[in-house]
Amino acid sequence: MDNAISATSENIDGIEHLGIYMVEGEEAVLKSYKGLPDWFYKKIRRIPYPKGYIWHTIIEGKSR
């Protein structure tokens, strides 16, 4: 997943923040990221179902 983050950020102009979430049970877990400060990572690394835009994106199946 780190390779996917690196390749995406190198090939798309203007990306500042990027993350890959995987669903584990009733949580979305941030597996790889770039451009996030540590304090923010700690806040969003696990998101319980069905809160926030991350779950909206997962359910909808389209990136934002």
Side-chain angles (χ1 to χ4, degrees):
M1 285 188 231
D2 291 334
N3 289 339
I5 292 288
S6 294
T8 302
S9 65
E10 290 171 8
N11 291 301
I12 299 177
D13 293 332
I15 289 182
E16 293 180 28
H17 310 288
L18 186 61
I20 296 176
Y21 280 88
M22 300 293 287
V23 175
E24 293 181 0
E26 293 290 314
E27 293 182 313
V29 180
L30 185 59
K31 294 294 189 175
S32 186
Y33 68 95
K34 181 177 180 175
L36 300 175
D38 287 337
W39 68 268
F40 192 65
Y41 163 75
K42 290 175 183 176
K43 190 171 186 166
I44 66 164
R45 65 183 171 196
R46 293 181 138 344
I47 300 174
Y49 178 81
K51 295 182 180 180
Y53 284 108
I54 297 300
W55 273 104
H56 182 73
T57 301
I58 291 168
I59 293 166
E60 193 174 272
K62 297 179 183 177
S63 61
R64 298 190 179 274

